[in-house]
Amino acid sequence: MSKRDYYEVLEVGKSASASELKKAFKKKAMKYHPDRNPDNPEAAEKFKEAAEAYDVLSDPQKKGAYDQFGHQGVEGMGAGGPNFNDFNINDIFGDIFGDVFGTRSSSRRVRRGSDLQYNLELNLREAVQGEQKKIKIPVHNECDVCFGSGAKPGTSPTTCPSCNGSGQVRMQQGFFSIQQTCSTCSGEGKIIKDKCTNCNGAGAVKETKTLSVNIPAGVDNGDKVRLAGKGEWLKGGTPGDLYVAIRVQPHPFFERDGKDLYLEVPITFEKSIIGGSIEIPTLDNPISLKIPKQTQTGKVFRIRGKGASSVRDSRRGDILCRVIVETPSNLDRKQIKLLNEFTASLKFDKNYPGSDAFKKASDKLD
């Protein structure tokens, strides 16, 4: 079967630059690599075809011969397939194959312990005003007997014979060679013959640590406070971070909406008519709220600067207080008689303007 045109294989033009050729080969390799297409001979063949095309077109001498004479021009120049002993695959794939196949070199990034999360419940007052909390978390800390080495005191870890201390071993899969983490030492580069009896060679022991957390004023549900370096300890690396996730408990009176607090307060029937003052709660101290005469149920009063704050804005929001007129109950005969006399003295159109307007509108619909 005749070979396809190398430019067609990589889907590039003849004027493609070296970086464009590399990018095209990466795309093909990611799609057809045998590790991503197990038991798929067609994909393996396409990967081999792309590798051969890149091997020729990325070499100026081979490319010149191919452009002038085609496939015959590169016969005898190693064009039947790339020589992977000279083919630096790490230069081609870099971090891409490291992400896909787990072969990223440890020298590319600092090894880091896992991040941890602690769920902390606060009441509304603590969330709005800020608080310092003590929390206890189970963590792995460096063993104070072997100081994190994992080896028995007086001994030391030895160089891993499988990877010669590099932590990586080269695996050959057909014509393709990749690096993998050494399974003998788990990438550490060293093995421990005499393990520390305190940590059993792990280099760390599980403990309960008490931490102090400064909760900033204005936190809300879902906010997180980061404690750098307070996460999981990692042998030979740096510890991760601890994230304290905030959950604000429901309040018996207030509902929070951003920086505003909503509150419903009952007022007596007579106070709604003649007016007066009532005491309402805030997150600081109770305050007095003046009720004007003839206040109707559902009336909302705004108390400025007594609401919540936010982490990004320390200015307090408002309390929006909605009053509900409470109808008297359990009246005795004398009270009912007085109420009837009072009701008889009222004029519907004057004393109940809202109801009168509704009645007139309803009459027009009849």
Side-chain angles (χ1 to χ4, degrees):
M1 185 176 70
S2 61
K3 291 183 178 181
R4 285 203 300 158
D5 180 79
Y6 287 148
Y7 293 104
E8 180 185 340
V9 170
L10 295 181
E11 298 182 14
V12 296
K14 289 189 175 182
S15 61
S17 64
S19 61
E20 289 173 333
L21 287 169
K22 183 181 290 187
K23 184 178 180 181
F25 178 45
K26 284 182 181 180
K27 183 178 178 180
K28 295 290 183 181
M30 293 292 287
K31 184 176 182 179
Y32 296 118
H33 188 273
D35 282 355
R36 305 191 74 184
N37 300 273
D39 304 320
N40 187 342
E42 183 180 353
E45 197 61 35
K46 286 185 177 181
F47 177 79
K48 184 177 180 181
E49 183 184 44
E52 180 179 320
Y54 179 75
D55 178 62
V56 170
L57 298 182
S58 62
D59 185 310
Q61 184 179 357
K62 292 180 182 178
K63 182 179 184 300
Y66 178 76
D67 288 345
Q68 187 172 3
F69 302 108
H71 292 292
Q72 291 182 348
V74 292
E75 287 182 1
M77 299 179 67
N83 182 352
F84 283 96
N85 291 324
D86 300 325
F87 195 87
N88 192 342
I89 199 67
N90 287 326
D91 287 344
I92 300 300
F93 293 98
D95 291 338
I96 291 182
F97 267 32
D99 289 338
V100 175
F101 303 111
T103 60
R104 180 179 292 182
S105 172
S106 59
S107 63
R108 292 185 179 271
R109 57 185 174 88
V110 177
R111 298 177 65 232
R112 187 171 174 274
S114 300
D115 292 335
L116 301 177
Q117 178 169 306
Y118 182 92
N119 298 323
L120 178 64
E121 286 198 348
L122 301 174
N123 61 44
L124 182 59
R125 187 190 303 273
E126 292 172 331
V128 170
Q129 297 180 349
E131 188 80 6
Q132 187 175 70
K133 287 285 189 179
K134 298 286 187 181
I135 62 173
K136 292 184 177 181
I137 58 170
V139 295
H140 285 91
N141 282 330
E142 184 179 87
C143 175
D144 57 8
V145 174
C146 66
F147 301 103
S149 71
K152 183 178 180 180
T155 67
S156 300
T158 58
T159 301
C160 174
S162 298
C163 64
N164 294 321
S166 68
Q168 301 283 318
V169 291
R170 185 171 291 278
M171 303 294 292
Q172 191 78 28
Q173 295 183 2
F175 60 81
F176 190 65
S177 177
I178 60 174
Q179 280 191 334
Q180 292 183 337
T181 301
C182 177
S183 59
T184 303
C185 64
S186 300
E188 295 289 333
K190 295 181 180 296
I191 57 174
I192 301 170
K193 293 182 178 180
D194 297 316
K195 296 181 178 179
C196 170
T197 56
N198 187 52
C199 64
N200 196 32
V205 291
K206 195 168 186 177
E207 299 176 343
T208 299
K209 182 185 292 186
T210 301
L211 299 174
S212 180
V213 185
N214 289 317
I215 306 297
V219 293
D220 205 347
N221 276 316
D223 287 342
K224 292 183 179 180
V225 178
R226 174 174 170 263
L227 301 182
K230 299 299 182 182
E232 195 73 18
W233 178 86
L234 179 67
K235 183 178 179 181
T238 60
D241 299 333
L242 172 66
Y243 290 88
V244 180
I246 303 299
R247 180 183 179 275
V248 183
Q249 299 167 340
H251 194 274
F253 304 133
F254 293 110
E255 287 189 13
R256 183 177 180 179
D257 183 10
K259 294 174 64 176
D260 291 332
L261 300 177
Y262 290 82
L263 172 70
E264 284 192 352
V265 177
I267 62 173
T268 62
F269 173 71
E270 62 275 14
K271 191 161 289 186
S272 71
I273 298 173
I274 62 177
S277 295
I278 61 171
E279 187 178 83
I280 65 168
T282 72
L283 294 179
D284 304 305
N285 299 301
I287 62 172
S288 178
L289 176 65
K290 184 178 179 180
I291 304 297
K293 295 177 182 180
Q294 303 176 20
T295 294
Q296 303 295 319
T297 191
K299 171 71 175 177
V300 177
F301 297 90
R302 183 181 292 271
I303 299 96
R304 298 191 180 277
K306 291 296 184 180
S309 59
S310 73
V311 175
R312 298 168 186 81
D313 187 355
S314 61
R315 292 174 297 180
R316 297 276 288 269
D318 303 331
I319 291 178
L320 288 91
C321 178
R322 183 173 183 264
V323 297
I324 306 296
V325 178
E326 190 173 15
T327 303
S329 59
N330 301 318
L331 300 177
D332 58 27
R333 290 184 178 181
K334 183 179 179 180
Q335 291 169 328
I336 292 174
K337 181 181 178 183
L338 290 171
L339 186 57
N340 285 331
E341 292 174 356
F342 171 70
T343 303
S345 69
L346 298 175
K347 295 182 179 180
F348 193 79
D349 59 343
K350 179 179 180 181
N351 300 117
Y352 294 100
S355 297
D356 185 56
F358 179 78
K359 183 178 183 303
K360 289 177 179 178
S362 299
D363 291 342
K364 291 180 180 180
L365 297 175
D366 294 337

